[in-house]
Amino acid sequence: MSENIETRHSPSDQAITTAEQDRLYRSGFSRRLSKGIREMSGDESMVMALYGDWGSGKSSIKNMVLENLRKTEENCPIILEFNPWRLGSEDQLLITFFSEVSRKLEVVTKGAIDDGGKKKDNAEKRASLWKQYGRYVAYGASTAKAASTVMGMLGVPGSPLVDLLGKSLTSAGELGEIGKQAAEDDAESQGLSLEEIREKLRSSFKSDDWDKNFLIVIDDIDRLNPSEIRQIVRLVKANSDFPRFIFLLLCEKSRVEQALDEEFGGERGAEFLEKIVQLHFDVPAPSPDDMNALFFERINFLLDSLSEAVPIWDKERHDDRFAHLYNEYLKNQLRTPRAITRYLNVLELSLSSYLEESSYEANPVDVMALEAIRLFDGEIYSSLLAEGKATLLGITDAWNLKSEDENPAEKFWEATDAADAAKKVVRLLFPNFDKNFYNGGNPAEWRHHLRVCSKDCFDRYFEFDLRPDALRESEVENLLQVASDPDSAGEILDGMAEGRRLGRLLERLESSKEMHGLNIDGQSTLIAALWDRSEKFPERGGGILGVDGRRQLSWFTARSLRSLEGSESRDSLLLGAVKKISNLANTIYLVARVESDKEASSLVTAEAVSDAAAEAKTRLSAASHEKILDAAHEWPGLLHWWREKDSESAAAFIERAMQSAKGLEAILRSELGVVEGGGKTTEYLNLSGLEKTAPADEILETINSLGGAVSQRLSELRDCLEMMIQRRNEGKSLQGSDIAMEMD
């Protein structure tokens, strides 16, 4: 089977050119029509019409008719394809028509067999008569601008019309009179009137040496404006009485009738057209099965070509939803070959925009559904955009909950007057939008499948590209492939953090079947790598409701444990993560959360919790003094847990820290806060937290004992400590908010 626009997808909207390309079984109809044209004999003229809606395949049938006619020379008419849609004005339409017929007659003249000179002479006279006839008709409607063109086309050099170029003419009517007079002068020089020229032409086309029909095919009539359509109809009517002239008109009948209604008033256009067209046919409607076959061949070709580098279609995931989209909506929209081509052209551009180097960043069925709505129900598409993300996804408050008070879809359907088929597509895309049809759903699964109804994926479908900070599927896939290698995984995570793309990673991993498919070693290594970058996760929410990276990772770890079957697997995952997290403070934070959170501790055995705590304690005891000091900003939680597990070791560490400037600075920094007021920023210390480590007065006394060994930063912290001790001695508030108010 040859590759052409009806057997594969093509970006063009052109008609097929040969019967070999026919996939809608219209070649038989075209063959019969060409046979009828070939067998027309005698001196009668004929006006035929092929009627069909825009995009129904009229031009394809015409091309197959002409292909059949040209296969054999016997009884093949002279063929002129005249396309008025490509012309710029009514004047050009008339001029070009007569010039193109003239050229065809000149070709016949050159090819005429010299039969004692008679046949060639007759052909030359016929061509000359046609030029004279064309002058009469064309110049009556031309403009000064067109005059120079038509003179060359119609062979008027030396006639009085040449002088027109030197005159200042502003009236087309004036030009018409001058042009007509010039043509009559030229004709009168031969002693002929206009009617005599027409009669001589009729006789010439009837003569024995004129043995061919003249087929004039006029396509795309329905693309013209009403005035141009009427001009074409008048042109056909004026020339349809020449013997052996056959006109084949291709158009949408209702468009031509409407244009003629404006000419005659009322609804007489159909009556007038019927008087001109002697024989008409309707484009054979393709069977639904043929249209289905054509569409699926072409869309499969498109999907295959787009999937050469990255697979974008998953039968298990996409087939059922696409079948619903096609049966409920698409098949009723794709009723013509042109509708299929338009849709696939749009779809190719849209689908390809989500292709990344190693992943596909959208759900192809959702792309297909959205583009179908945009192309065939543009008003509904625009209204969907106006509704906004929160309404379409059923998000009505900060907690992403679905309101039960009203159903926004009811107002939407009423405002857009959406048909049932369109409603079904919208519900397919946005399951939470219409509460009357809401049957639940899994947001994690929607996110995994990159559905437009996922709040994390919604924006990409309407921005035609991923945001710079959007998480790409290729990154997630690459991360999961190297999950067991902490260095490689860490490199990818650092890249995500640098590009501010860590925000949605945890939700994406939770919905990832590949994540759950990793072995315990791979999962624990990846979890540890995430924990080591807890400070790089953007805070969710803000203020008192803000959720920092540690809390996000605590929830993620708990959900990862919950996804495993069997306590042995869950115990192994927890212990593996605790051992692999390099950040000591994060290790202790995770263990403390598991110990204190009833739900988390219920996921693993008591023995595993104890082993995790022992591992953390061992690592803490083995950590160097300097390493612990580097974690000073984590001390409130770290020291609290350390005192509970091993008070003597914790006390010994504090005693050593108090003996060095670095240790004292770390102790103070662990309880440091900042407030703003009065146009400036002021630091303060949480004395109650600080004194869990050592008495404030003792810390101040120790710093003062260092003398000149105090750094600039430690000196600043000492001043802050003195201020806080003084406030306490004076009975003033030690709260940061109260200090800020005093500054104002």
Side-chain angles (χ1 to χ4, degrees):
M1 182 181 298
S2 65
E3 286 194 353
N4 53 76
I5 71 155
E6 294 214 352
T7 59
R8 63 173 178 84
H9 173 59
S10 168
S12 65
D13 190 18
Q14 60 185 339
I16 64 170
T17 57
T18 68
E20 183 185 7
Q21 298 169 343
D22 178 35
R23 297 291 294 129
L24 299 178
Y25 302 99
R26 292 167 167 179
S27 56
F29 170 82
S30 304
R31 188 168 53 253
R32 290 191 296 274
L33 181 55
S34 63
K35 185 173 184 292
I37 293 172
R38 186 187 295 276
E39 292 179 353
M40 285 184 183
S41 59
D43 293 331
E44 297 302 317
S45 61
M46 174 67 71
V47 178
M48 308 168 65
L50 179 63
Y51 296 137
D53 293 338
W54 187 78
S56 60
K58 300 183 294 294
S59 296
S60 293
I61 291 175
K62 176 259 297 183
N63 289 339
M64 289 188 287
V65 167
L66 298 184
E67 179 194 26
N68 274 297
L69 289 172
R70 288 166 174 151
K71 281 182 177 178
T72 57
E73 181 64 26
E74 184 181 359
N75 293 334
C76 179
I78 299 168
I79 299 172
L80 169 62
E81 293 187 70
F82 180 62
N83 195 321
W85 185 62
R86 304 182 188 279
L87 304 176
S89 67
E90 293 181 42
D91 300 334
Q92 290 181 349
L93 187 153
L94 282 173
I95 293 168
T96 305
F97 173 79
F98 284 108
S99 69
E100 289 191 6
V101 173
S102 178
R103 288 195 184 98
K104 282 291 181 181
L105 291 175
E106 287 176 349
V107 170
V108 174
T109 299
K110 293 177 181 178
I113 299 174
D114 191 351
D115 184 13
K118 181 180 179 182
K119 193 167 188 177
K120 189 172 183 64
D121 288 345
N122 287 343
E124 290 175 348
K125 289 178 181 179
R126 189 180 301 115
S128 178
L129 284 169
W130 182 265
K131 287 182 180 180
Q132 292 179 48
Y133 171 59
R135 292 177 201 144
Y136 271 102
V137 180
Y139 273 96
S142 65
T143 64
K145 182 177 180 181
S148 62
T149 303
V150 77
M151 284 186 293
M153 288 180 174
L154 301 180
V156 293
S159 77
L161 288 176
V162 175
D163 296 334
L164 288 175
L165 294 178
K167 296 185 178 182
S168 176
L169 299 175
T170 58
S171 166
E174 181 184 2
L175 173 63
E177 288 301 318
I178 295 175
K180 182 177 180 182
Q181 183 61 51
E184 287 178 346
D185 290 345
D186 185 63
E188 286 175 359
S189 67
Q190 304 178 41
L192 298 175
S193 67
L194 176 61
E195 281 307 312
E196 286 174 328
I197 293 175
R198 285 179 55 83
E199 184 57 39
K200 280 184 170 291
L201 273 174
R202 280 192 287 266
S203 297
S204 177
F205 287 128
K206 284 182 179 180
S207 66
D208 294 339
D209 58 79
W210 178 259
D211 57 358
K212 285 182 176 294
N213 290 330
F214 199 135
L215 175 63
I216 301 174
V217 182
I218 306 180
D219 199 354
D220 292 328
I221 298 173
D222 41 19
R223 293 193 182 191
L224 304 175
N225 64 46
S227 177
E228 291 168 337
I229 290 175
R230 292 191 290 270
Q231 182 80 299
I232 284 292
V233 172
R234 285 193 291 266
L235 185 66
V236 172
K237 184 177 184 299
N239 295 281
S240 61
D241 61 342
F242 287 120
R244 311 201 75 163
F245 267 49
I246 301 172
F247 286 89
L248 176 59
L249 313 180
L250 287 78
C251 59
E252 184 178 342
K253 185 180 181 183
S254 60
R255 279 270 296 139
V256 177
E257 290 175 346
Q258 289 171 7
L260 295 176
D261 285 343
E262 296 178 22
E263 174 83 358
F264 300 105
E267 298 181 356
R268 297 180 57 196
E271 179 182 343
F272 186 81
L273 183 62
E274 187 177 344
K275 289 181 179 180
I276 296 174
V277 176
Q278 299 157 277
L279 183 64
H280 74 267
F281 305 92
D282 293 317
V283 171
S287 72
D289 289 343
D290 292 340
M291 290 302 297
N292 289 347
L294 175 62
F295 172 70
F296 279 102
E297 281 190 30
R298 293 177 64 179
I299 197 171
N300 283 333
F301 182 91
L302 171 60
L303 291 174
D304 288 344
S305 64
L306 292 176
S307 299
E308 289 180 358
V310 178
I312 69 174
W313 195 267
D314 183 296
K315 291 182 65 65
E316 180 180 350
R317 186 183 303 177
H318 299 136
D319 276 8
D320 287 346
R321 291 187 69 237
F322 177 75
H324 181 78
L325 169 65
Y326 183 77
N327 291 323
E328 297 293 347
Y329 185 75
L330 269 180
K331 73 176 181 181
N332 293 321
Q333 305 294 338
L334 304 176
R335 295 179 174 177
T336 67
R338 180 163 289 154
I340 291 176
T341 298
R342 288 181 65 211
Y343 178 60
L344 292 179
N345 285 347
V346 169
L347 198 58
E348 180 177 26
L349 177 62
S350 188
L351 284 172
S352 61
S353 69
Y354 299 102
L355 279 171
E356 294 286 332
E357 183 177 349
S358 59
S359 65
Y360 192 70
E361 301 290 340
N363 184 294
V365 179
D366 284 0
V367 176
M368 292 173 176
L370 285 168
E371 291 303 333
I373 289 289
R374 188 165 70 89
L375 184 63
F376 301 117
D377 278 300
E379 181 181 348
I380 293 178
Y381 182 86
S382 299
S383 299
L384 286 173
L385 292 182
E387 285 293 323
K389 179 177 180 178
T391 303
L392 293 173
L393 303 189
I395 301 172
T396 56
D397 56 37
W399 298 102
N400 298 343
L401 299 177
K402 195 170 190 296
S403 171
E404 300 297 335
D405 298 331
E406 59 180 11
N407 184 5
E410 293 179 356
K411 294 181 180 180
F412 182 86
W413 304 139
E414 183 178 353
T416 58
D417 193 26
D420 287 343
K423 291 179 182 179
K424 291 177 180 178
V425 179
V426 174
R427 292 178 188 130
L428 176 73
L429 290 166
F430 305 107
N432 283 0
F433 180 48
D434 192 340
K435 296 181 184 179
N436 292 333
F437 289 82
Y438 177 69
N439 58 0
N442 185 338
E445 183 175 320
W446 293 340
R447 177 63 184 84
H448 178 65
H449 293 168
L450 306 179
R451 294 278 303 278
V452 67
C453 56
S454 165
K455 58 182 171 51
D456 293 335
C457 302
F458 178 89
D459 293 335
R460 69 182 63 181
Y461 286 88
F462 300 99
E463 295 174 349
F464 216 53
D465 194 5
L466 296 182
R467 294 165 52 94
D469 59 350
L471 186 66
R472 283 162 165 73
E473 291 303 302
S474 56
E475 291 179 305
V476 178
E477 291 177 4
N478 291 339
L479 176 64
L480 294 173
Q481 288 175 5
V482 299
S484 298
D485 180 349
D487 293 334
S488 298
E491 184 178 345
I492 294 175
L493 290 173
D494 290 338
M496 291 181 183
E498 185 177 348
R500 298 180 300 158
R501 297 191 295 277
L502 276 180
R504 297 297 181 184
L505 176 61
L506 299 185
E507 289 186 17
R508 175 63 184 88
L509 291 176
E510 287 177 28
S511 64
S512 171
K513 293 181 179 179
E514 293 80 5
M515 170 69 179
H516 302 316
L518 294 175
N519 58 30
I520 298 299
D521 179 63
Q523 289 195 47
S524 62
T525 302
L526 181 54
I527 289 174
L530 291 166
W531 272 98
D532 284 333
R533 291 158 182 81
S534 61
E535 75 284 355
K536 296 182 179 180
F537 280 81
E539 183 178 285
R540 291 191 181 178
I544 61 172
L545 295 178
V547 180
D548 63 13
R550 278 183 167 182
R551 290 177 65 189
Q552 295 176 47
L553 286 165
S554 296
W555 296 338
F556 174 73
T557 304
R559 286 190 284 265
S560 297
L561 291 171
R562 191 180 299 114
S563 69
L564 297 175
E565 295 184 2
S567 60
E568 183 177 351
S569 296
R570 293 193 290 269
D571 289 353
S572 297
L573 180 61
L574 175 63
L575 289 172
V578 167
K579 292 178 180 179
K580 294 173 183 177
I581 298 173
S582 60
N583 184 303
L584 182 58
N586 282 347
T587 302
I588 293 173
Y589 185 95
L590 173 57
V591 173
R593 289 285 296 184
V594 173
E595 289 178 324
S596 62
D597 189 314
K598 292 182 178 180
E599 182 181 3
S601 60
S602 68
L603 296 171
V604 292
T605 64
E607 182 181 0
V609 175
S610 177
D611 290 344
E615 173 66 23
K617 178 183 173 182
T618 300
R619 289 182 58 192
L620 184 56
S621 299
S624 68
H625 184 74
E626 291 297 318
K627 184 172 183 179
I628 298 176
L629 287 179
D630 289 339
H633 65 289
E634 308 290 353
W635 278 10
L638 186 151
L639 293 178
H640 175 74
W641 186 85
W642 198 1
R643 290 190 184 103
E644 283 189 349
K645 300 301 178 183
D646 189 348
S647 59
E648 291 185 6
S649 296
F653 167 75
I654 294 298
E655 183 177 351
R656 290 179 60 196
M658 292 279 286
Q659 295 173 7
S660 68
K662 183 175 181 180
L664 289 166
E665 183 179 329
I667 290 172
L668 293 176
R669 282 193 293 111
S670 71
E671 298 295 344
L672 186 67
V674 178
V675 294
E676 294 183 0
K680 63 179 181 178
T681 300
T682 300
E683 294 179 331
Y684 74 98
L685 288 164
N686 176 15
L687 287 186
S688 62
L690 183 63
E691 291 192 322
K692 292 179 181 179
T693 299
D697 291 331
E698 182 181 336
I699 295 174
L700 180 58
E701 181 180 350
T702 303
I703 296 174
N704 289 333
S705 68
L706 295 176
V710 176
S711 66
Q712 177 65 31
R713 182 54 177 153
L714 183 54
S715 178
E716 293 170 351
L717 292 171
R718 177 183 58 192
D719 293 342
C720 182
L721 178 60
E722 287 179 337
M723 177 194 73
M724 297 303 296
I725 292 174
Q726 182 179 351
R727 289 183 65 88
R728 182 171 63 183
N729 293 339
E730 294 174 354
K732 292 182 179 180
S733 172
L734 303 180
Q735 298 295 320
S737 57
D738 292 333
I739 295 174
M741 291 179 64
E742 291 179 17
M743 293 166 58
D744 290 334

